[in-house]
Amino acid sequence: MNYDFEDDWYGWGLRGRHLVSEDGQRMTIERLRGLMWRDKMKLRRAGYANRRKAEEARKA
């Protein structure tokens, strides 16, 4: 995979195989993928194709 983390990103940076926050929290790429998958499944169960459609429905 190709990551674009030359500089810090909202306080997070790529250090080895971990995303690391300003306060030292570490998150592996696998953990991030798991969180994204969980969010996707939660939206799908609620009947939305993606986050954008869910936010549009909430505004309406």
Side-chain angles (χ1 to χ4, degrees):
M1 290 191 147
N2 196 6
Y3 302 103
D4 185 17
F5 276 94
E6 293 298 321
D7 297 319
D8 283 347
W9 181 64
Y10 291 101
W12 290 80
L14 189 61
R15 309 290 186 268
R17 293 191 61 220
H18 292 90
L19 289 171
V20 181
S21 71
E22 292 175 329
D23 61 356
Q25 294 180 29
R26 293 179 173 269
M27 184 179 301
T28 63
I29 300 301
E30 293 80 14
R31 175 72 175 140
L32 182 58
R33 284 184 185 141
L35 291 171
M36 291 169 44
W37 177 85
R38 181 178 178 217
D39 186 54
K40 180 179 176 181
M41 293 300 115
K42 190 175 179 182
L43 289 171
R44 188 174 286 178
R45 285 185 69 194
Y48 299 109
N50 58 40
R51 167 87 32 216
R52 181 174 291 153
K53 291 187 187 275
E55 289 174 359
E56 287 172 0
R58 188 177 59 191
K59 289 179 184 177

